[in-house]
């Protein structure tokens, strides 16, 4: 059982930045692909970003490309989501997810472990 805990969410103004963190308990964290997803009120969960086990391959939703950066520090068992130029459409609960496979993936159904989520609210 891998436990994931997100942190770093909060209330910010449009144009501001936030960095989310996801701390993992798994001792084989370095072998997992990781992802970030988000869910806004009244909407379905959507893909945000994913990163392979090594951190050498990253993929982003079109809506965040160029503004968000996913990264990982395997020595700290942590994955990050740097969010810049935030706007009101980024308001959502952000979830960290991991999968046993080291390959990145766009689909939440392919992930094995999920965090509890952290709220990001962007005022305009």
């Amino acid at each position: 059982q891998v436990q994931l805990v997100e942190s770093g969410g909060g209330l910010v103004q449009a144009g501001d930045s936030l960095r989310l963190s996801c701390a993992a308990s798994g001792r084989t964290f370095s072998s997992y692909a990781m992802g970030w997803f988000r869910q806004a009120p009244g909407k379905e969960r959507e893909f945000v970003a994913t990163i392979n086990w090594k951190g050498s391959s990253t993929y982003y939703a079109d809506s965040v490309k160029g503004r968000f950066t996913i990264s990982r520090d395997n020595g700290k068992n942590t994955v990050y989501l740097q969010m810049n130029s935030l706007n009101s459409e980024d308001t959502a609960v952000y979830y960290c997810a991991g999968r046993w496979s080291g390959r990145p993936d766009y689909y939440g159904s392919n992930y094995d472990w999920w965090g509890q989520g952290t709220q990001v609210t962007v005022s305009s």
Side-chain angles (χ1 to χ4, degrees):
Q1 188 75 35
V2 175
Q3 295 179 342
L4 305 174
V5 180
E6 303 97 333
S7 62
L11 174 64
V12 298
Q13 298 288 329
D16 286 353
S17 298
L18 277 177
R19 189 176 76 160
L20 306 183
S21 298
C22 174
S25 63
R27 300 180 73 172
T28 56
F29 172 79
S30 61
S31 69
Y32 309 149
M34 301 294 294
W36 287 96
F37 296 79
R38 66 187 184 185
Q39 187 168 24
K43 297 184 178 180
E44 295 183 352
R45 182 183 62 195
E46 66 175 346
F47 166 76
V48 175
T50 185
I51 188 168
N52 75 333
W53 68 272
K54 190 176 180 180
S56 57
S57 298
T58 58
Y59 304 91
Y60 300 91
D62 288 342
S63 60
V64 307
K65 194 173 300 181
R67 299 188 298 121
F68 290 11
T69 302
I70 187 171
S71 62
R72 67 191 299 160
D73 185 339
N74 287 343
K76 296 182 178 180
N77 278 15
T78 302
V79 63
Y80 305 96
L81 185 68
Q82 178 67 46
M83 305 185 294
N84 298 327
S85 301
L86 287 163
N87 58 64
S88 60
E89 294 184 354
D90 297 315
T91 294
V93 177
Y94 284 72
Y95 296 93
C96 175
R99 62 193 305 253
W100 180 255
S101 171
R103 303 190 309 273
D105 202 285
Y106 297 103
Y107 304 104
S109 61
N110 290 331
Y111 285 79
D112 300 303
W113 310 286
W114 292 83
Q116 82 289 346
T118 185
Q119 177 71 48
V120 173
T121 303
V122 184
S123 62
S124 60

